[in-house]
Amino acid sequence: MATNRRISRVAELIKREVSQMLLNGIKDDRVGTGMVSVTDVDVSGDLQHAKIYVSIYGTEEAKAETMAGLKSATGYVRSELGARVRLRRTPEVIFIEDRSIERGTKVLSLLNKLQYERSLEPEDTEEDIGAEED
């Protein structure tokens, strides 16, 4: 079992290497349809499995196409990781779409909308409240 420090270092190294592969290593045209970035890598305690979370910018069709391209490129990514990262065994690679940035953007837009609507409402003053009680 690897230590937490080693697991985080391996995860960061995998994140860096896969990001480089996305820029100029993967030749599949489907991967280029959406703008892809690696947001996080989760490596298991025994360093045998790596979940790679990717954020894809574009339409739903482009996202689906990009995910299909990434899933078909897992063998290439794993073999390249084996060559670039010196580990006893190269971890199994799983790509997972990360929609947290989209959810965060949606929440921020809802908060901004709520703040804007509250700024348009007339504010109750103390005089208005006292007049209502009479």
Side-chain angles (χ1 to χ4, degrees), residues 1-3 6-8 10-11 43-50 87 89-92:
M1 196 61 112
T3 63
R6 180 152 190 244
I7 291 170
S8 63
V10 168
V43 180
S44 64
D46 58 358
L47 303 176
Q48 297 301 307
H49 302 283
L87 292 173
R89 288 190 58 200
T90 306
E92 294 285 331

Side-chain angles (χ1 to χ4, degrees), residues 39-97:
T39 57
D40 194 21
V41 175
D42 186 22
V43 180
S44 64
D46 58 358
L47 303 176
Q48 297 301 307
H49 302 283
K51 293 180 186 174
I52 301 173
Y53 295 92
V54 293
S55 177
I56 306 167
Y57 183 76
T59 64
E60 288 299 320
E61 294 170 0
K63 289 179 183 182
E65 202 171 307
T66 303
M67 281 306 294
L70 287 173
K71 287 187 190 300
S72 70
T74 54
Y76 168 77
V77 170
R78 185 173 185 211
S79 65
E80 277 294 308
L81 277 177
R84 295 180 184 194
V85 179
R86 292 287 161 209
L87 292 173
R88 199 171 291 149
R89 288 190 58 200
T90 306
E92 294 285 331
V93 174
I94 302 168
F95 286 102
I96 300 172
E97 186 177 358

Side-chain angles (χ1 to χ4, degrees), residues 9-36:
R9 284 177 44 209
V10 168
E12 196 61 37
L13 185 60
I14 291 173
K15 181 178 177 181
R16 186 174 347 126
E17 293 300 330
V18 171
S19 296
Q20 286 296 320
M21 281 184 243
L22 287 173
L23 285 175
N24 49 17
I26 299 176
K27 302 293 186 221
D28 195 338
D29 291 335
R30 295 177 292 180
V31 176
T33 57
M35 192 172 82
V36 184

